[in-house]
Amino acid sequence: MSAISVGQAIVLGAVEGVTEFLPVSSTGHLKIVEGLMGIPVDDDSVVGFSAVIQVGAIAAVLVYFFKDIVRIVSAWLRGLRDKEERYHHDYQFAWWVICATIPIVVVGLAAKPLIEGSLASLWVVAGSLIVGSGVMWAADRMGRHKRGEDDTSFKDAMLVGSSQILALLFPGFSRSGATMSTALMLDLDRVAATRLSFFLGIPALTGAGIYELKDALGTGTAALPLAVGTLVSFVVAYASIAWLLKYVAKHSFDAFVIYRIVVGLLLFGLLGAGVVNS
């Protein structure tokens, strides 16, 4: 029997779509909601389901940034053939994204048992939500917000891409939160930091979803809940992306910091009271 029903898949797909690209931790929120619904967060099929529905959110990024992606990929293909094209920023940026994805792939494969084991605890999620909030608050104030997207470098991409490992090892820290915070510390403005987070997330999250698909289907997760959850994730994530880019253009990340702290403290309370199982 599947550990997740169609109704639960709709809820989890909506949670994934809303939180995947907001700096509040989609993994953390999924685990919290799964715990509240009585779904075993460390079940193999549940872990696989969570990874697969991320593909819906990634598909939303591909659609939303379709023109940008076509431009970057086209420049990369031209650069492979024409030496002169290799000085173009888009060609270089494509290679930076590829290289910046390698660290999280290596760590993800090497630490998979740990990530899906003891680190999947909701106690870790609660602590990571609060600690990540402090990092985000400091980054938003330390950064000078003076560099735009065209000012990014290979060093920026590697540092921001590598920061995704924090969210991989500590669910609740937030992949978006880690990458945006790192970008802000490198003096990128909020919009550039957010867009860079999106682009760096495409290969990492797509690869995770594809990698987990076989395991998810092979451990009892029915195809229908997977399909429904992924579709809902896509629709909600598209709206979330559009909203976030407009929001960060005029606001700081303080609202996300406060929200994360509240959720983290609430989760500690629920765990301590035995309302949810870690």
Side-chain angles (χ1 to χ4, degrees):
M1 295 292 291
S2 173
I4 298 175
S5 68
V6 172
Q8 291 171 331
I10 292 174
V11 174
L12 293 175
V15 171
E16 164 65 24
V18 170
T19 60
E20 181 59 58
F21 300 110
L22 300 186
V24 296
S25 175
S26 61
T27 302
H29 278 73
L30 284 173
K31 289 185 181 298
I32 292 170
V33 175
E34 288 165 359
L36 291 173
M37 292 194 296
I39 299 172
V41 298
D42 57 349
D43 185 282
D44 288 344
S45 64
V46 176
V47 173
F49 176 89
S50 300
V52 172
I53 63 172
Q54 288 179 334
V55 176
I58 290 300
V61 175
L62 294 175
V63 173
Y64 192 91
F65 292 107
F66 181 74
K67 291 183 179 179
D68 295 292
I69 294 170
V70 169
R71 188 190 74 245
I72 293 169
V73 173
S74 297
W76 182 68
L77 292 174
R78 289 196 305 271
L80 293 178
R81 300 189 305 267
D82 186 348
K83 197 172 184 179
E84 294 298 321
E85 292 289 337
R86 296 174 189 174
Y87 296 99
H88 197 287
H89 183 269
D90 286 338
Y91 170 81
Q92 296 173 350
F93 185 75
W95 275 116
W96 298 345
V97 170
I98 293 171
C99 293
T101 303
I102 294 174
I104 192 173
V105 172
V106 172
V107 174
L109 292 175
K112 189 172 187 289
L114 185 62
I115 294 167
E116 296 179 356
S118 58
L119 290 178
S121 168
L122 288 178
W123 290 104
V124 175
V125 171
S128 298
L129 277 166
I130 294 174
V131 172
S133 299
V135 174
M136 188 182 303
W137 181 86
D140 205 13
R141 280 155 180 76
M142 288 170 56
R144 289 177 286 178
H145 312 290
K146 66 177 185 178
R147 301 170 57 206
E149 187 174 348
D150 290 338
D151 299 320
T152 55
S153 64
F154 176 69
K155 177 183 176 182
D156 296 330
M158 289 302 298
L159 289 174
V160 174
S162 296
S163 70
Q164 295 178 108
I165 295 172
L166 286 172
L168 187 66
L169 296 177
F170 305 104
F173 201 95
S174 169
R175 189 203 64 81
S176 295
T179 52
M180 290 178 191
S181 296
T182 303
L184 289 172
M185 290 180 185
L186 294 170
D187 294 332
L188 270 69
D189 63 48
R190 295 187 182 98
V191 174
T194 303
R195 284 174 59 88
L196 182 58
S197 175
F198 286 145
F199 288 124
L200 288 173
I202 292 173
L205 295 179
T206 302
I210 294 173
Y211 180 80
E212 294 285 357
L213 180 59
K214 174 179 63 66
D215 292 337
L217 294 175
T219 52
T221 300
L224 182 57
L226 270 178
V228 170
T230 302
L231 178 60
V232 172
S233 173
F234 168 81
V235 175
V236 177
Y238 189 92
S240 179
I241 293 167
W243 175 83
L244 180 60
L245 285 171
K246 292 179 181 178
Y247 181 85
V248 298
K250 298 180 180 180
H251 301 84
S252 71
F253 287 96
D254 287 354
F256 298 117
V257 170
I258 295 171
Y259 173 80
R260 288 170 57 104
I261 293 174
V262 171
V263 172
L265 292 175
L266 178 61
L267 181 55
F268 271 130
L270 293 173
L271 288 167
V275 177
V276 296
N277 193 319
S278 63

